[in-house]
Amino acid sequence: MESSAPAWAAEQRQEAFRELVERHSRMVFRMAYRMTGNEQDAEDVVQETFLKAYRGMDRFDSRASFSTWVFRIASNCAIDLLRKRKRRPEAPAFADGPDGPGASSADPSPQDAAQGSEIGRRVNGALAALTPQERTAFVLRHFEGQPIEEIARLLGVRANAAKQTVFRAVRKLRLELAPLREESR
Amino acid sequence: MNHLTEEDLVLYHYGETPEPAVVEDHLARCERCRAERDGLAKELGLFDRLAVPERDETYGGQVWRRLRPLLSEPEAARRPFFAAFQPWLLATSLAALLFAAFLAGRFWPRAGGAALGPAARERILLVAVGDHLDRSQMILLEFVNADPSGFPGGDARERQAAEELVGANRLYRQTATHAGDSAMASALDDLERVLLEIAHSPSPEARQALRRRIESEGTIFKVRVITSRVREREKAPARAAARS
């Protein structure tokens, strides 16, 4: 179990840390990419996260889970980056669109492709329309499954404010997707 | 009958309803709210299809290789990097960039050695950045001139070399940004994007497209120009000393 490993003895510090980095890097990258919407920014967050984790290892409570701890550091790094950047994050590509990195290998019909592309455009545009705070709250709640209490802690606000931020984000996203709803009727 | 609000349904969707039984009871009886719930779930489900760039199982190892040189340095010497992000230090771009050079693990002062003067520190810094740019240029040239039908494994080595340069480049770029050297930060930013793409372009088609783009955008030429400027700055103190 990761939390019980005698990882924090000085002579084994780096070897233990290597294992943790190798195990958790992809998770940190995924979360950072969804938060920042930008590959390069996500890589920055990954590096900064593990540097901070290494330097703060003495403060790590070995009874806790390393993944939870590193997730918190990564969230804070991403939030800091969004705040410093002062521009809205980019939207990631849409998996089902014909141009998305996760595009299906089966050839879609022209109609499906056009529809997929339109949905992708709307969904990307909806995410890009959120403020950094709203995007953070939505990503943490929707993709990362974080409870409102934890989102509040990470954003440095009260639970009720975090809840309202999630509501606002969902409302904005649905508003952006409203034309799709109309078209499907 | 009071219908469920959008907030009620959002909380229910995410499993955060304080009294789920009450919501479920209402949903069982109310068609309109069921339709609202289904619509919400369908729309939020669209976001699950957003793609995240692929990072394969070797990614953790790549991150570790970038981090490793930064972790091996003594604790006391590592602290100034974060100190460099304090406002009072931002003005001292030279010192901040020097810390980045030290962090890259290339110019570690010997214990007990004499303290370096500002001129020596500037020279060390410029040499470090210049060397980094030289290595980057070499990788770009190898990448552009690589024979796609060449021996197997060449691509993997290029990717690994690019990956290693990304870590050092990031440090120089971040520090240059914080130090207010926007021209250098912008140049390093462009370089980093290309290095990242080399490191993460596994398909031959993507690599071929990237080669064409590097050539059409004159990326190598731009790196050469920055390198020569850095080298000029490196030589300037010696020239000034010779004149005096």
Side-chain angles (χ1 to χ4, degrees), chain A residues 13-15 17-18 21-23 25-26 29-30 33-34 38-40 42-44 46-48 50-52 54-55 84 92-96 100-102 119-120 123-124 126-127 138 141-143 146-149 163-164 166-167 170-171 173-174 177 180-181 184, chain B residues 6-8 10-11 13-16 36 39-40 42-61 63-64 66-68 70-73 75 78 81-82 85 103 163 166-168 170-171 173-174 178 188-190 192-193 196 200:
Chain A
R13 196 174 159 101
Q14 285 206 8
E15 189 49 32
F17 195 67
R18 179 185 64 77
V21 168
E22 290 186 356
R23 197 183 301 168
S25 288
R26 291 168 85 185
F29 176 80
R30 270 196 302 274
Y33 182 78
R34 284 171 174 148
N38 175 295
E39 202 166 349
Q40 197 173 345
E43 292 284 3
D44 283 356
V46 171
Q47 181 159 313
E48 178 104 1
F50 286 111
L51 277 174
K52 283 188 172 170
Y54 185 77
R55 288 163 189 171
K84 274 184 209 157
F94 193 66
D96 291 356
I119 293 171
V123 169
N124 284 331
L127 264 185
F138 179 73
R141 181 53 268 182
H142 184 82
F143 294 106
Q146 294 297 308
I148 297 285
E149 290 287 341
K163 197 189 286 182
Q164 293 305 322
V166 172
F167 291 155
V170 171
R171 197 172 307 128
L173 294 172
R174 297 193 78 196
L177 298 181
L180 291 177
R181 212 163 34 231
S184 68
Chain B
E6 186 183 51
E7 282 81 0
D8 293 331
V10 169
L11 288 180
H13 179 82
Y14 289 126
E16 300 234 21
E36 273 298 312
L40 175 76
K42 189 176 170 192
E43 283 169 14
L44 289 176
L46 290 174
F47 292 92
D48 296 331
R49 290 151 65 187
L50 286 171
V52 174
E54 190 59 35
R55 291 292 183 266
D56 63 20
E57 66 281 0
T58 65
Y59 179 63
V63 172
W64 173 250
R66 293 203 305 255
L67 280 171
R68 178 69 183 79
L70 311 181
L71 307 181
S72 60
E73 292 153 3
E75 186 71 23
R78 275 191 275 116
F81 181 72
F82 283 114
F85 290 87
L103 274 175
E163 184 71 44
V166 166
R170 177 170 295 119
L171 283 171
R173 173 177 58 76
Q174 287 173 337
H178 286 287
L188 290 171
D189 188 53
D190 291 344
E192 195 171 316
R193 284 174 198 280
L196 262 174
H200 298 291

Side-chain angles (χ1 to χ4, degrees), chain A residues 50-71:
Chain A
F50 286 111
L51 277 174
K52 283 188 172 170
Y54 185 77
R55 288 163 189 171
M57 270 205 294
D58 294 339
R59 293 190 295 277
F60 173 65
D61 178 352
S62 59
R63 290 166 301 179
S65 147
F66 182 82
S67 58
T68 304
W69 185 62
V70 89
F71 182 87

Side-chain angles (χ1 to χ4, degrees), chain B residues 120-154:
Chain B
R121 278 186 293 174
E122 180 174 13
R123 189 155 185 284
I124 289 171
L125 163 69
L126 292 170
V127 169
V129 176
D131 285 357
H132 169 72
L133 292 169
D134 278 342
R135 282 198 305 280
S136 301
Q137 208 180 123
M138 211 158 64
I139 290 295
L140 291 176
L141 278 169
E142 281 179 14
F143 177 77
V144 167
N145 296 319
D147 176 4
S149 59
F151 62 93

Side-chain angles (χ1 to χ4, degrees), chain B:
Chain B
M1 176 196 248
N2 286 333
H3 290 289
L4 297 170
T5 63
E6 186 183 51
E7 282 81 0
D8 293 331
L9 291 171
V10 169
L11 288 180
Y12 182 72
H13 179 82
Y14 289 126
E16 300 234 21
T17 306
E19 294 178 285
V22 175
V23 177
E24 279 158 14
D25 184 50
H26 181 88
L27 285 172
R29 290 181 285 109
C30 178
E31 192 181 341
R32 178 178 144 181
C33 287
R34 275 201 305 278
E36 273 298 312
R37 175 203 60 189
D38 294 346
L40 175 76
K42 189 176 170 192
E43 283 169 14
L44 289 176
L46 290 174
F47 292 92
D48 296 331
R49 290 151 65 187
L50 286 171
V52 174
E54 190 59 35
R55 291 292 183 266
D56 63 20
E57 66 281 0
T58 65
Y59 179 63
Q62 293 167 21
V63 172
W64 173 250
R65 279 195 294 280
R66 293 203 305 255
L67 280 171
R68 178 69 183 79
L70 311 181
L71 307 181
S72 60
E73 292 153 3
E75 186 71 23
R78 275 191 275 116
R79 285 197 177 119
F81 181 72
F82 283 114
F85 290 87
Q86 300 301 317
W88 65 271
L89 257 178
L90 294 185
T92 60
S93 66
L94 174 61
L97 281 166
L98 188 62
F99 289 139
F102 283 166
L103 274 175
R106 306 189 60 260
F107 292 94
W108 195 249
R110 275 175 291 191
L116 294 170
R121 278 186 293 174
E122 180 174 13
R123 189 155 185 284
I124 289 171
L125 163 69
L126 292 170
V127 169
V129 176
D131 285 357
H132 169 72
L133 292 169
D134 278 342
R135 282 198 305 280
S136 301
Q137 208 180 123
M138 211 158 64
I139 290 295
L140 291 176
L141 278 169
E142 281 179 14
F143 177 77
V144 167
N145 296 319
D147 176 4
S149 59
F151 62 93
D155 284 359
R157 275 194 293 281
E158 276 170 15
R159 286 205 298 270
Q160 188 176 335
E163 184 71 44
E164 284 162 7
L165 285 172
V166 166
N169 195 86
R170 177 170 295 119
L171 283 171
Y172 291 126
R173 173 177 58 76
Q174 287 173 337
T175 318
T177 302
H178 286 287
D181 190 343
S182 56
M184 176 63 79
S186 164
L188 290 171
D189 188 53
D190 291 344
L191 174 60
E192 195 171 316
R193 284 174 198 280
V194 176
L195 291 172
L196 262 174
E197 285 193 63
I198 294 175
H200 298 291
S201 297
S203 80
E205 295 76 23
R207 297 171 72 75
Q208 203 49 37
L210 182 56
R211 283 187 186 101
R212 282 196 295 272
R213 193 147 56 79
I214 288 172
E215 285 177 327
S216 70
E217 291 179 1
T219 307
I220 296 175
F221 175 73
K222 287 176 193 166
V223 175
R224 273 191 191 133
V225 170
I226 316 163
T227 312
S228 71
R229 281 182 193 155
V230 168
R231 295 298 187 206
E232 279 298 305
R233 278 166 64 184
E234 190 187 319
K235 287 173 193 159
R239 282 204 210 103
R243 276 199 298 273
S244 63

Side-chain angles (χ1 to χ4, degrees), chain A residues 1-163:
Chain A
M1 228 172 93
E2 66 186 27
S3 58
S4 64
W8 318 117
E11 68 277 10
Q12 295 179 336
R13 196 174 159 101
Q14 285 206 8
E15 189 49 32
F17 195 67
R18 179 185 64 77
E19 198 184 318
L20 295 170
V21 168
E22 290 186 356
R23 197 183 301 168
H24 297 289
S25 288
R26 291 168 85 185
M27 175 272 285
V28 173
F29 176 80
R30 270 196 302 274
M31 188 272 279
Y33 182 78
R34 284 171 174 148
M35 292 266 281
T36 62
N38 175 295
E39 202 166 349
Q40 197 173 345
D41 285 343
E43 292 284 3
D44 283 356
V45 169
V46 171
Q47 181 159 313
E48 178 104 1
T49 295
F50 286 111
L51 277 174
K52 283 188 172 170
Y54 185 77
R55 288 163 189 171
M57 270 205 294
D58 294 339
R59 293 190 295 277
F60 173 65
D61 178 352
S62 59
R63 290 166 301 179
S65 147
F66 182 82
S67 58
T68 304
W69 185 62
V70 89
F71 182 87
R72 282 183 186 162
I73 296 173
S75 306
N76 282 317
C77 287
I79 291 167
D80 286 349
L81 187 140
L82 290 177
R83 282 177 182 155
K84 274 184 209 157
R85 198 163 66 180
K86 286 184 183 163
R87 64 179 162 84
R88 291 184 175 176
E90 295 162 24
F94 193 66
D96 291 356
D99 302 326
S104 164
S105 57
D107 288 340
S109 70
Q111 195 181 352
D112 287 347
Q115 197 179 16
S117 172
E118 171 63 9
I119 293 171
R121 200 176 60 75
R122 289 275 176 195
V123 169
N124 284 331
L127 264 185
L130 299 181
T131 65
Q133 184 102 343
E134 289 161 356
R135 184 179 180 125
T136 302
F138 179 73
V139 166
L140 292 175
R141 181 53 268 182
H142 184 82
F143 294 106
E144 307 299 337
Q146 294 297 308
I148 297 285
E149 290 287 341
E150 179 64 12
I151 296 170
R153 213 189 61 75
L154 288 165
L155 291 176
V157 298
R158 290 178 186 277
N160 195 46
K163 197 189 286 182

